[in-house]
Every structure is written in structure tokens, then in C-alpha cells.
Amino acid sequence: MSREDPQLRVRIPAELKETLEQKASENKRTLTAEIVNRLEETTNQDALVGSSNGFERIAVEYEDLCSDYEALTAKFEREYAIDWADSNKDELRSVIEKLHKLLSRPEKK
């Protein structure tokens, strides 16, 4: 950016300005550089996604991917449990028989 770049006066809520100032400080930028960077990033996102609500679409797609991941993880855990039980069925039967014998014993008084 240079002094020849056009200036733009805008009004923004005080809370948003404070947040931007804090982020600019964290990123070691001026407030102007932080705002320009954020505007460039959202413009690039819009170009990649092909719409003016690029960030919103990215967020929705991210949430969808998270849901898909959770569903696949649950399915894998179910499938793994079935595989484990199948490969250990003899041991499981033995344990069940022992438990059944223990539970069928008459109580001593």
C-alpha cells in the first residue's frame, strides 16, 4: 500500500473496530493492513468458491464434512466391533458359559 492508494471512510461498530485492532496487534500489522488483508482474503475465497458468500459456503461445507466424518467414524467403530467379536467368538462363548455356570449356582446359606 502506498499513500497514492485511494482512501475510504467507513463507519463500523466500535466493538468490531476493537476486535480488528486486537487482531492487527496479534498479527503485527496496522489496522489498515489488517482490514485490507481480511478484505483480500474474503475476495479470494469468493473467487475460489464462485459466489459472493464464499466464507459462508466454506463454513457450511466444513460443517457437512464434520458430520460425514462423525458418521463414518461411528460406522467404522461398529464394523470394527463386529469384526473383533467375530474373530474372538470362541473366547466370548467360553466366558459366557463360565458366567452362566456362576449365575446358575444355588446360593449357599
Side-chain angles (χ1 to χ4, degrees), residues 58-106:
I58 289 170
V60 167
E61 288 177 18
Y62 175 77
E63 288 176 9
D64 290 345
L65 287 171
C66 287
S67 294
D68 292 347
Y69 173 78
E70 289 173 11
L72 287 170
T73 299
K75 182 178 180 181
F76 171 79
E77 288 172 357
R78 283 192 308 273
E79 294 291 327
Y80 179 76
I82 290 169
D83 287 345
W84 181 88
D86 187 49
S87 63
N88 293 286
K89 62 185 169 216
D90 294 333
E91 185 179 347
L92 289 168
R93 280 190 186 115
S94 172
V95 170
I96 290 171
E97 287 173 11
K98 288 177 185 175
L99 283 172
H100 184 60
K101 286 178 185 176
L102 285 172
L103 293 173
S104 2
R105 287 185 183 167

Side-chain angles (χ1 to χ4, degrees), residues 41-58 61:
E41 287 298 320
T42 57
T43 302
N44 290 338
Q45 288 173 2
D46 291 348
L48 285 172
V49 177
S51 72
S52 63
N53 63 345
F55 180 75
E56 183 179 335
R57 283 188 57 194
I58 289 170
E61 288 177 18

Side-chain angles (χ1 to χ4, degrees), residues 10-51:
V10 296
R11 294 187 188 276
I12 61 173
E15 198 173 283
L16 176 58
K17 184 178 182 237
E18 289 171 12
T19 300
L20 288 168
E21 287 171 335
Q22 181 181 9
K23 295 297 181 182
S25 176
E26 290 172 11
N27 294 323
K28 297 177 178 37
R29 297 182 183 136
T30 64
L31 178 59
T32 299
E34 184 70 21
I35 292 169
V36 168
N37 179 267
R38 286 170 178 267
L39 289 171
E40 286 174 343
E41 287 298 320
T42 57
T43 302
N44 290 338
Q45 288 173 2
D46 291 348
L48 285 172
V49 177
S51 72

